[in-house]
Amino acid sequence: MEQAELRQWEHRCIQEESPQCAAACPLHVDARECCSLLAARRIDKAWAVLAKTMPLPGVLARICDGPCKTACLRKDVGGAIEMESLERFLATSAKPSKPPRPLPRNGKSVAVIGGGMTGLCAAWEIARKGFAVTVYCVAPDVGAALPEGALEGELEAMDRMGVTLERGVESSPELVEAQLEEMDAVFVDSDAVAASVLNFGEPDEVTLGTNRLGLFASRSGEKSPVFQAAAGRRAANSIMRFCQGVSMVKSRELEGPYDTRLYTNLTGVDAVAPVPVGGGYDESRAVEEAARCLKCECMECVKGCVYLKHYKQYPKVYVRQVYNNEAIVRGTRQANRMINSCMLCGLCETVCPEDFAMGEVCLEARRNMIGKGTMPPSAHEFALRDMAFADGGKCALARHAPGADSSEYVFFPGCQLTATDPGGAERAYADLRNRLGRVGLILRCCGAPARWSGRESLFGESLAELKAAWEGLGFPRIIAACPSCIKTLREAMPEAEIVSHWSVLSALGLPENARRDGGTLAVNDPCAAREDGAMRSDVRGLLDSLGVSVVEPYYTGELTQCCGYGGLLNAVDPALGATAAKARADAVNEDYVTYCAMCREMIARTGKRAMHLYDLLYPGGAEPCARPTLGHSERRENRVRLREKLLRELWSEADGVTAEDFEKVRVSCTEEGAAAMESRRILKSDVQKVLLQAERSGKHLVHGGTGRFLASFRPAVVTYWVEYESDGDGYLVHNAWCHRMHIEGAQP
Amino acid sequence: MSVIKVPGAGADGWKCGHCDREMVMKPVELTYLNSLFNVELPVCPECGYVLIPEALALGKMHQVEQLLEDK
Ligand code: SF4
Ligand code: SF4
Ligand code: SF4
Ligand SMILES: [Zn+2]
């Protein structure tokens, strides 16, 4: 990622923008933070938030007129937060704070003429910047009644900050002239001086500069104390710039109230009325009022994404981590797993007010990792081996319909549907042939795993083979059943006409043997259907004709959530994949119906009752939700057997693929053995290879206690260990494990 | 290079079935992604068959593999 791209992505995520209250406050008091602390009864800390931002906090907090209230997002859901009253409560109840420590003295001095709120605040802010300040006034007067000692307390604080207060001095043009001679700059509080002083024209809105060099003044008539304070701060900023000789106007947009881009979704927020202020808040009522604050933030994408939640931050932070990950030359890359765990489902982009596409960021990062050779070898290997298997001689197939020598259509069920429900795929193909005639068949993978893993060249190779098969059949229209296949192929093969099986069925009507016993089901849209409204409505139409009343989960349709399989999450972080599936499963009480084979598998594996639409359209006998979920080896075998069966029964061909020697090794597994193989992603064929190697070499270990055997073999890059016993003419597997480290100079 | 001893990496009842010999602890070279480690492991003194116990493969060894993959 280039730095410019990083900046663009960072700019898009508005999570760190100010809340409306802070943006509307001319001093940018952080009401959100203050309320959050107060709600937690951390009263002194809440006060410290005010005291850090406000000049003369003990005064201003008591007279602030709360301009933030007009902007507060609570205003439409009960009423704005009563910020002024909370400020008053804190000013009286919290432990007084120490005055801020000014910057080191810069050797310059400034005179402030007039001791109103504006002048005093200007003095406070100018002193903080390291100037020596002298205030000339008859008497300090903030124009409001205050409790005994409140003003005096802040004047003492100013004294400690190095402000000299000259009382009993009448303002006059001569005084101004004299100070301009003597000091580096002069500030006039226009509302607290004699009219005769105001002979310098209207001060500039941005800089408060006048037509006299070095003379700054507030614009008269300001009634709001907090805007008066803000004028003092603006003057301090100008005076510093003036004394440093830098631009007076550059980047001052964020000084007063400004527009914030922060978006906060109020859906589901209950209206709660403000706690009545009465004669002022006591602690419990202040706490209750503070708790009404919505703590405005965006986090729209994080709310809906298990993956974004898991890493505990939000895209603005993540994109920087992705950038840093790529920049590392020596040392450990911290974000590899994070980059490889995004489901690439696009939900974030759909909900984000600024269209932040985390999936795009992660996919691009994966491609870069592949390009640079820094992709962890283990990350996607298993999934890609599975794809290679689905595209290999034992599974792949392309034929015209039996007896036909051309194809008008070709059915493309996809590698996961054939793996999880070969019977359903077979019945679907028969139905399409019956009703449409010349429908060919292509069995293989669409290449999505290669794409998701960032391997564009591998994807290209897979696609080229698929295209060759399709050309061989004479460019028929492709009927695809899997939403991921449809999405992938539509993007990669714009020259082909790709229709969804669901739209074909919508036109043809239900298959003859469909189950029409209805019931209520929750529909799960696969994430690949997010942008395919037509497919989603075809599916709902079919469900309707099946007599199903459909319930929609909260995240549905365009806003659907990924089941945890997308983007190869389940291969990279199976635990997080399972969490995503669980979130999906828990979203509804009803049984699920979905139209993606892997959504069905992922959800059903959590224990939730879930079926594929094929279980209703092309039922295989069992109760629809009862079809078992399958392990890795079984899924592979299903593909192999489907191809063999179809070749034999439809085309009267022998399968033409010779069985390899290891396939003849007969293995069965104990329950523990099977579970270990599944969770460690060890295939039956891997075990067979180990056992064949042990047979041939005669080498293995034997256990003194159990009498079991143990052998290992490294067919490619992973070494597999199998603990087994002989079992008649085969083997019973008790346990299996694997590692990637290579043992030099020992067994193969 | 110093030899790494991993607790719990003993033969734990396994012996070589081919040579009928007890395993002995010996330094073994393990490699992954251009890194080389010398680890003391159970080895058949006769034929050199090496045992990587389950706990080692799935524990320490796996951690090191992941670390090297992120380097
Ligand atoms: S939705 Fe997410 S990415 Fe978009 S602005 Fe909000 S927090 Fe940032
Ligand atoms: S609800 Fe809280 S965070 Fe949101 S604008 Fe109001 S005070 Fe600020
Ligand atoms: S998993 Fe989906 S919603 Fe979450 S970050 Fe990735 S693309 Fe966005
Ligand atoms: Zn031996």
Side-chain angles (χ1 to χ4, degrees):
Chain A
M1 189 186 301
E2 300 297 321
Q3 200 165 47
E5 280 174 85
L6 169 68
R7 296 269 178 272
Q8 278 174 15
W9 282 120
E10 281 185 319
H11 178 74
R12 267 200 197 185
C13 177
I14 52 170
Q15 164 65 10
E16 290 175 9
E17 295 284 305
S18 304
Q20 302 295 338
C21 49
C25 169
L27 294 174
H28 311 309
V29 166
D30 192 344
R32 177 176 66 183
E33 177 68 6
C34 180
C35 286
S36 161
L37 290 163
L38 180 50
R41 292 190 183 270
R42 300 179 65 188
I43 292 172
D44 294 339
K45 287 272 183 224
W47 170 248
V49 171
L50 299 181
K52 182 180 80 190
T53 319
M54 291 179 154
L56 288 78
V59 170
L60 186 54
R62 287 186 165 92
I63 59 175
C64 169
D65 50 320
C68 64
K69 284 174 77 173
T70 52
C72 174
L73 281 200
R74 245 302 171 204
K75 113 179 143 289
D76 300 326
V77 267
I81 300 300
E82 296 285 2
M83 197 58 204
E84 318 99 283
S85 301
L86 294 178
E87 288 170 12
R88 314 264 192 281
F89 164 76
L90 290 172
T92 46
S93 310
K95 193 166 104 243
S97 48
K98 287 210 188 87
R101 192 195 299 239
L103 291 176
R105 284 295 178 93
N106 58 16
K108 313 248 179 204
S109 44
V110 175
V112 171
I113 300 177
M117 190 62 190
T118 314
L120 294 176
C121 288
W124 178 285
E125 300 282 358
I126 296 166
R128 283 188 71 170
K129 295 187 186 295
F131 291 84
V133 182
T134 310
V135 180
Y136 298 92
C137 59
V138 178
D141 177 10
V142 298
L146 287 169
E148 188 82 29
L151 178 57
E152 286 65 30
E154 296 300 7
L155 295 177
E156 264 165 43
M158 285 171 71
D159 185 55
R160 269 180 282 160
M161 290 164 69
V163 177
T164 310
L165 189 59
E166 298 285 354
R167 299 174 191 245
V169 183
E170 294 284 355
S171 62
S172 65
E174 294 70 34
L175 176 65
V176 175
E177 289 306 321
Q179 294 303 321
L180 272 173
E181 285 286 302
E182 203 172 310
M183 306 289 223
D184 294 287
V186 175
F187 175 72
V188 172
D189 176 349
S190 299
D191 289 322
V193 292
S196 61
V197 173
L198 306 176
N199 59 3
F200 39 66
E202 178 79 338
D204 181 81
E205 204 178 336
V206 172
T207 65
L208 301 184
T210 65
N211 58 21
R212 291 293 310 273
L213 195 65
L215 178 62
F216 298 85
S218 57
R219 294 158 76 95
S220 33
E222 181 56 64
K223 294 281 181 296
S224 156
V226 58
F227 274 91
Q228 289 170 347
R233 177 175 295 174
R234 191 179 282 281
N237 192 345
S238 289
I239 286 170
M240 192 174 70
R241 287 170 182 241
F242 174 72
C243 291
Q244 287 174 347
V246 298
S247 164
M248 297 297 291
V249 288
K250 218 175 144 215
S251 324
R252 301 192 67 162
E253 302 76 21
L254 300 184
E255 257 175 57
Y258 56 82
D259 288 330
T260 171
R261 293 161 62 221
L262 184 68
Y263 167 80
T264 303
N265 187 349
L266 296 180
T267 314
V269 175
D270 292 329
V272 182
V275 178
V277 176
Y281 285 145
D282 57 14
E283 180 175 325
S284 70
R285 286 188 301 142
V287 167
E288 196 191 330
E289 176 61 11
R292 274 198 330 121
C293 168
L294 301 168
K295 302 198 185 119
C296 292
E297 59 173 356
C298 177
M299 296 297 259
E300 279 301 290
C301 56
V302 181
K303 289 181 207 163
C305 174
V306 162
Y307 154 73
L308 289 176
K309 238 181 246 162
H310 176 76
Y311 287 93
K312 305 224 164 25
Q313 300 282 344
Y314 42 87
K316 184 164 191 162
V317 176
Y318 297 145
V319 71
R320 177 159 284 274
Q321 290 172 350
V322 170
Y323 175 83
N324 288 341
N325 199 68
E326 202 170 300
I328 284 179
V329 182
R330 274 168 175 277
T332 306
R333 291 181 193 85
Q334 306 284 354
N336 282 347
R337 198 177 176 85
M338 191 260 275
I339 290 165
N340 282 327
S341 295
C342 170
M343 295 166 267
L344 311 180
C345 73
L347 175 58
C348 48
E349 188 180 359
T350 311
V351 296
C352 175
E354 306 278 332
D355 298 335
F356 194 110
M358 191 65 193
E360 225 172 272
V361 170
C362 288
L363 182 56
E364 193 51 35
R366 291 181 203 181
R367 288 178 180 152
N368 288 338
M369 284 156 82
I370 296 292
K372 289 186 177 174
T374 58
M375 177 62 87
S378 68
H380 303 120
E381 189 181 85
F382 187 80
L384 294 173
R385 267 170 64 199
D386 195 51
M387 174 180 146
F389 188 77
D391 284 348
K394 292 195 169 75
C395 304
L397 174 117
R399 289 282 188 286
H400 293 301
D405 53 13
S406 67
S407 292
E408 194 185 341
Y409 294 95
V410 63
F411 181 43
F412 189 92
C415 65
Q416 297 300 350
L417 194 56
T418 51
T420 55
D421 186 14
E426 189 186 344
R427 289 185 287 277
Y429 182 41
D431 175 49
L432 287 171
R433 273 193 336 272
N434 273 337
R435 296 200 275 170
L436 290 176
R438 287 177 298 122
V439 183
L441 179 67
I442 293 183
L443 297 180
R444 58 182 299 120
C445 173
C446 68
R451 191 142 248 205
W452 287 340
S453 73
R455 287 168 169 83
E456 279 300 299
S457 69
L458 181 66
F459 178 68
E461 289 162 30
S462 154
L463 188 70
E465 286 179 31
L466 170 53
K467 278 189 183 168
W470 174 65
E471 281 175 33
L473 297 180
F475 310 99
R477 278 185 268 176
I478 298 175
I479 301 174
C482 166
S484 288
C485 294
I486 293 173
K487 184 175 177 204
T488 306
L489 296 182
R490 279 196 183 140
E491 275 167 25
M493 291 173 65
E495 68 275 35
E497 191 185 332
I498 296 157
V499 290
S500 88
H501 191 189
W502 322 117
S503 85
V504 171
L505 288 177
S506 300
L508 291 180
L510 294 180
E512 201 179 341
N513 295 323
R515 289 179 73 123
R516 296 155 203 260
D517 40 5
T520 303
L521 294 172
V523 65
N524 174 71
D525 291 309
C527 56
R530 183 182 316 290
E531 285 159 23
D532 199 333
M535 175 156 48
R536 299 197 308 264
S537 74
D538 284 334
V539 164
R540 283 161 179 74
L542 290 172
L543 286 168
D544 188 49
S545 23
L546 289 162
V548 173
S549 33
V550 167
V551 171
E552 303 277 350
Y554 178 75
Y555 284 102
T556 195
E558 202 190 3
L559 298 181
T560 192
Q561 286 170 316
C562 177
C563 64
Y565 184 79
L568 299 181
L569 167 59
N570 205 48
V572 172
D573 188 343
L576 189 57
T579 307
K582 186 83 171 62
R584 206 59 193 143
D586 290 347
V588 290
N589 295 320
E590 295 78 7
D591 296 351
Y592 260 126
V593 59
T594 185
Y595 44 109
C596 162
M598 286 321 293
C599 284
R600 193 270 163 176
E601 286 287 305
M602 291 294 291
I603 294 173
R605 269 183 219 158
T606 69
K608 170 86 182 169
R609 287 169 54 85
M611 67 181 84
H612 190 276
L613 190 46
Y614 267 23
D615 290 309
L616 298 176
L617 294 168
Y618 299 109
E623 195 259 317
C625 284
R627 194 161 48 80
T629 60
L630 301 176
H632 298 114
S633 300
E634 290 165 292
R635 296 214 302 274
R636 279 197 178 190
E637 280 169 22
N638 275 343
R639 289 185 198 133
V640 175
R641 284 201 214 102
L642 177 67
R643 176 179 168 280
E644 281 176 3
K645 182 166 189 272
L646 294 178
L647 274 181
R648 203 171 52 237
E649 293 178 2
L650 297 184
W651 288 280
S652 311
E653 284 178 38
D655 82 345
V657 181
T658 36
E660 294 176 51
D661 287 347
F662 69 83
E663 292 176 294
K664 295 171 193 150
V665 178
R666 295 188 32 155
V667 294
S668 54
C669 306
T670 62
E671 210 173 295
E672 292 78 19
M677 284 168 62
E678 188 59 24
S679 69
R680 293 163 189 173
R681 293 189 285 206
I682 299 170
L683 297 170
K684 183 178 156 198
S685 55
D686 299 326
V687 166
Q688 287 171 315
K689 287 175 191 168
V690 174
L691 295 172
L692 180 67
Q693 167 67 19
E695 258 177 24
R696 287 189 170 163
S697 66
K699 298 220 171 155
H700 58 263
L701 303 176
V702 61
H703 198 270
T706 60
R708 286 182 196 158
F709 304 116
L710 180 63
S712 80
F713 181 52
R714 183 175 186 252
V717 294
V718 178
T719 300
Y720 299 97
W721 289 84
V722 181
E723 186 181 337
Y724 60 99
E725 62 182 295
S726 293
D727 173 16
D729 58 350
Y731 303 96
L732 178 65
V733 175
H734 286 274
N735 194 6
W737 61 88
C738 57
H739 54 81
R740 301 179 72 89
M741 275 206 192
H742 181 42
I743 313 169
E744 296 292 331
Q747 64 262 40
Chain B
M1 196 201 313
S2 65
V3 178
I4 305 165
K5 300 194 182 188
V6 195
D12 202 21
W14 293 104
K15 64 176 186 174
C16 182
H18 180 260
C19 314
D20 196 24
R21 295 283 300 270
E22 295 296 331
M23 307 292 269
V24 296
M25 297 304 284
K26 274 174 80 169
V28 173
E29 279 185 1
L30 299 175
T31 55
Y32 190 52
L33 299 175
N34 307 321
S35 289
L36 178 108
F37 304 89
N38 234 314
V39 184
E40 199 176 76
L41 287 170
V43 179
C44 170
E46 184 109 7
C47 70
Y49 208 91
V50 174
L51 168 62
I52 308 276
E54 180 180 15
L56 174 64
L58 303 178
K60 197 87 216 152
M61 198 163 182
H62 180 69
Q63 282 171 12
V64 173
E65 287 169 7
Q66 301 271 299
L67 213 80
L68 294 173
E69 291 199 341
D70 288 336
K71 282 273 181 236

